[in-house]
Amino acid sequence: MKGTNPPGDLGKRRKPQGSACCGVLCKRRKPQVEPRQCMHCSARHAVFRECLDEGLLKKLLQILCETMHEIEHTPVESKGDLDKWLQVTSECFRCQRNACVQCAKNQCTMRNLGFIDKSIYLIQLLQGMQVAQDESCLTAVRCGLQFLGNIASGNGDSQNSIWKCAFPDLFLTCLKHKDDKVMSYGSMVLFTCLDSDKVVELLEDEKNLELAVGVIAAYRKLPEIESEWTFLIVTNHFLKCPALVETMFAKLSNQERVTFLEMTLSKISDEDPGTNSDRDLRELSEFLARCFQEKCKAVLKLALRTNTEDEEALVVIRLLDVLCQLTSNSEQLHCLQNCPSLLETVIEILRLTHLAGKQTNNIFTAAHSMSMVEDISHPAVGFKAHLIRLIGNLCYKNKENQNKIHQLDGIPLILDNCSIDDNNPFLNQWAVYAIRNLTEQNEENQAIIAQMERQGLADGSLLRSMGMEVQEQDGKLILKSVKKQS
């Protein structure tokens, strides 16, 4: 083929993008792990794929290799010639991609012929060229990655072959790429190839660990519609390896930690408890609890209006959100109830934030504007309410923790938060919930609350501004309507 014009009849009648037979998954909220035939495909496509003989695939491989040779030896200055060969590359990859859709026979034949090695080499060659950001080059790379995704789908031997050739360099290059689709398709291939053994390899050296960190960074950069594969890599693979999470977390920036915790929260909020082993979940929960204990005082920086976006404080807030969700699941509740010093830490930070709110007017100060709009966007809104929610969860049917709250003088602290607070929606409800769990089958705590002296009626200015007031009649408190204060 050297010195001739590249053939122009390869794949002219390919299906429109968006159909699974072309290797592009239909745009939907969560991508399918396995390609599915779309409505534009017909049964005859599967028949045609099955009828491809080895001789035809060998010819296709020959064209791919000759095209690769031409690209290597065509000067960048000869842009017209280079564009033609890039177009041939795209058509070769499209043919390869289409031949592999749900066809184990073609997947195995193409793997045995060496399509995977040659394709990965060519993709890396294209990504290193000066024209790597040109549309013709990007199209070829995208099609090549789609081929790798299709040949790996449901085929363990192909997955292992891709991993051997592409890990970690090709995956790292894709995750750091400027093109969203290259990042997304590279993540698709990475997700398809990963398994529990390969995840452990990410811990072996700094370069491999860089790949794990790169997944989080790519998720932050990608638009939502392109980010699902990176989300699945984290939630379906990384979270099942607590050792990787712990090592990776130390390498992340605070912004990336917030992103990782939000992904974790999304996963555990709707997760089937059976998808992770009890041991993995326990180790992950214990690690996140330790992180919260170590960093929780950073949230006090938010008491200063100049520090409303302190990144370390934002990590603490997300850690608390995750712990609240974990303790809402009976599988992880027992583990965290027995986590050393966690309850003491939560009581301490509740006391510190409560005190900070009383010393100056800040986000931890109880607000009674009744507008619910003044500081609703502040990251610390609801923080005290979530602390009390976590206390209530940790004391649920746990006598030791119930008694520990009493020993830490936490009951008056919780009762002092039984109020309406715009900065902490549902604070009153969570406080009541916590008191209920503190006193359930615990006569000592019940007696402590019963013995507390009544100090008279609380300040009723808030109620009066709402047109109501509390009156005492015959030893009972009665809520009555009055003329609303202006």
Side-chain angles (χ1 to χ4, degrees):
M1 289 181 62
K2 186 173 181 179
T4 64
N5 290 327
D9 59 343
L10 287 177
K12 275 188 175 180
R13 301 182 64 182
R14 62 184 183 276
K15 284 285 181 182
Q17 293 212 348
S19 61
C21 66
C22 289
V24 181
L25 297 172
C26 297
K27 298 299 183 182
R28 56 186 67 168
R29 180 71 179 93
K30 289 190 178 181
Q32 300 295 327
V33 176
E34 301 290 343
R36 293 184 179 180
Q37 191 163 309
C38 71
M39 59 182 293
H40 303 292
C41 302
S42 64
R44 69 173 182 269
H45 290 115
V47 175
F48 291 156
R49 284 192 291 270
E50 291 288 348
C51 290
L52 284 175
D53 59 32
E54 187 172 332
L56 185 58
L57 291 175
K58 285 181 178 179
K59 290 180 180 179
L60 179 59
L61 180 61
Q62 181 182 358
I63 295 173
L64 182 71
C65 291
E66 292 177 354
T67 302
M68 180 168 57
H69 176 80
E70 293 292 342
I71 290 175
E72 285 183 305
H73 294 85
T74 300
V76 177
E77 294 77 18
S78 304
K79 195 172 187 315
D81 292 338
L82 189 58
D83 281 345
K84 292 177 182 179
W85 290 113
L86 289 172
Q87 182 182 357
V88 176
T89 302
S90 298
E91 298 300 335
C92 286
F93 282 151
R94 288 188 178 107
C95 290
Q96 296 169 211
R97 176 189 72 187
N98 297 352
C100 290
V101 176
Q102 296 181 334
C103 185
K105 169 181 169 290
N106 289 348
Q107 287 176 331
C108 294
T109 301
M110 297 176 78
R111 182 185 67 251
N112 293 335
L113 289 174
F115 272 92
I116 291 177
D117 298 4
K118 294 293 190 297
S119 297
I120 290 176
Y121 176 82
L122 183 50
I123 292 171
Q124 290 177 314
L125 173 66
L126 296 177
Q127 289 182 326
M129 295 176 63
Q130 293 182 22
V131 295
Q133 298 302 318
D134 289 359
E135 189 60 30
S136 56
C137 190
L138 287 174
T139 299
V141 171
R142 293 166 187 163
C143 292
L145 293 171
Q146 291 167 358
F147 159 66
L148 295 179
N150 281 3
I151 198 172
S153 179
N155 193 307
D157 290 334
S158 292
Q159 293 165 14
N160 292 334
S161 295
I162 293 173
W163 189 260
K164 182 178 179 180
C165 298
F167 177 78
D169 295 330
L170 177 63
F171 296 126
L172 275 170
T173 304
C174 290
L175 290 172
K176 295 178 179 180
H177 208 279
K178 295 180 180 179
D179 182 70
D180 290 346
K181 292 188 180 298
V182 171
M183 293 172 69
S184 179
Y185 298 159
S187 301
M188 173 190 66
V189 180
L190 177 58
F191 171 80
T192 306
C193 293
L194 276 173
D195 56 33
S196 57
D197 292 332
K198 295 185 179 76
V199 169
V200 174
E201 289 186 45
L202 300 177
L203 287 164
E204 291 181 354
D205 57 44
E206 288 295 322
K207 191 173 185 180
N208 294 0
L209 189 59
E210 183 184 352
L211 177 60
V213 174
V215 172
I216 308 296
Y219 178 84
R220 286 177 50 82
K221 294 176 184 177
L222 285 169
E224 183 178 1
I225 198 170
E226 301 285 359
S227 65
E228 294 296 339
W229 293 110
T230 49
F231 177 84
L232 291 172
I233 290 170
V234 173
T235 57
N236 287 23
H237 291 296
F238 290 0
L239 292 182
K240 295 181 179 180
C241 183
L244 174 62
V245 171
E246 185 168 354
T247 306
M248 178 183 68
F249 199 80
K251 298 288 185 180
L252 298 175
S253 68
N254 282 323
Q255 289 182 336
E256 290 168 341
R257 288 173 181 174
V258 170
T259 298
F260 170 76
L261 291 169
E262 288 173 346
M263 297 166 81
T264 304
L265 182 61
S266 177
K267 175 66 173 177
I268 63 178
S269 294
D270 53 57
E271 171 167 280
D272 175 4
T275 57
N276 276 27
S277 72
D278 290 342
R279 178 179 177 182
D280 290 344
L281 281 174
R282 184 177 67 252
E283 291 181 2
L284 177 64
S285 300
E286 290 173 348
F287 167 68
L288 295 176
R290 290 197 303 272
C291 289
F292 178 78
Q293 290 175 260
E294 293 170 3
K295 305 292 185 180
C296 64
K297 291 184 180 179
V299 79
L300 296 172
K301 298 176 185 177
L302 298 179
L304 302 175
R305 293 188 179 276
T306 55
N307 287 336
T308 55
E309 295 184 3
D310 184 88
E311 292 178 356
E312 190 175 14
L314 298 182
V315 174
V316 173
I317 291 170
R318 286 294 167 265
L319 280 167
L320 178 60
D321 293 340
V322 173
L323 291 177
C324 284
Q325 189 62 44
L326 285 170
T327 52
S328 297
N329 187 307
S330 57
E331 298 293 329
Q332 287 76 253
L333 174 60
H334 182 70
C335 159
L336 290 171
Q337 282 180 326
N338 295 296
C339 190
S341 303
L342 176 59
L343 187 58
E344 291 91 331
T345 300
V346 178
I347 288 291
E348 180 185 13
I349 195 63
L350 175 60
R351 196 184 309 279
L352 291 174
T353 52
H354 194 52
L355 179 61
K358 290 187 173 184
Q359 289 178 334
T360 61
N361 187 24
N362 56 64
I363 190 61
F364 301 119
T365 304
H368 305 306
S369 68
M370 302 307 296
S371 64
M372 293 297 291
V373 296
E374 192 172 342
D375 274 327
I376 198 66
S377 62
H378 194 287
V381 166
F383 185 75
K384 286 205 299 180
H386 287 181
L387 286 173
I388 294 177
R389 174 189 176 188
L390 182 56
I391 291 170
N393 288 348
L394 293 175
C395 292
Y396 178 70
K397 294 184 178 180
N398 188 297
K399 187 69 174 290
E400 182 179 349
N401 283 348
Q402 289 175 343
N403 293 337
K404 192 176 292 184
I405 294 293
H406 160 51
Q407 295 162 7
L408 295 169
D409 201 25
I411 294 178
L413 177 63
I414 295 171
L415 289 173
D416 202 24
N417 282 281
C418 284
S419 62
I420 297 173
D421 181 358
D422 287 358
N423 289 332
N424 285 277
F426 307 108
L427 175 65
N428 186 46
Q429 290 89 331
W430 285 122
V432 171
Y433 164 78
I435 292 298
R436 183 263 182 197
N437 285 354
L438 279 168
T439 57
E440 184 181 20
Q441 297 183 356
N442 191 313
E443 295 180 359
E444 185 177 2
N445 282 353
Q446 293 173 16
I448 291 170
I449 295 176
Q451 292 168 7
M452 288 184 175
E453 293 185 10
R454 211 168 96 197
Q455 301 295 321
L457 298 179
D459 180 12
S461 58
L462 174 61
L463 287 174
R464 286 193 294 273
S465 69
M466 299 168 62
M468 307 181 77
E469 70 175 7
V470 175
Q471 295 180 0
E472 186 174 6
Q473 294 181 6
D474 300 325
K476 297 180 181 180
L477 299 180
I478 300 175
L479 188 63
K480 287 191 172 184
S481 175
V482 297
K483 186 177 180 181
K484 187 175 180 180
Q485 293 181 351
S486 58

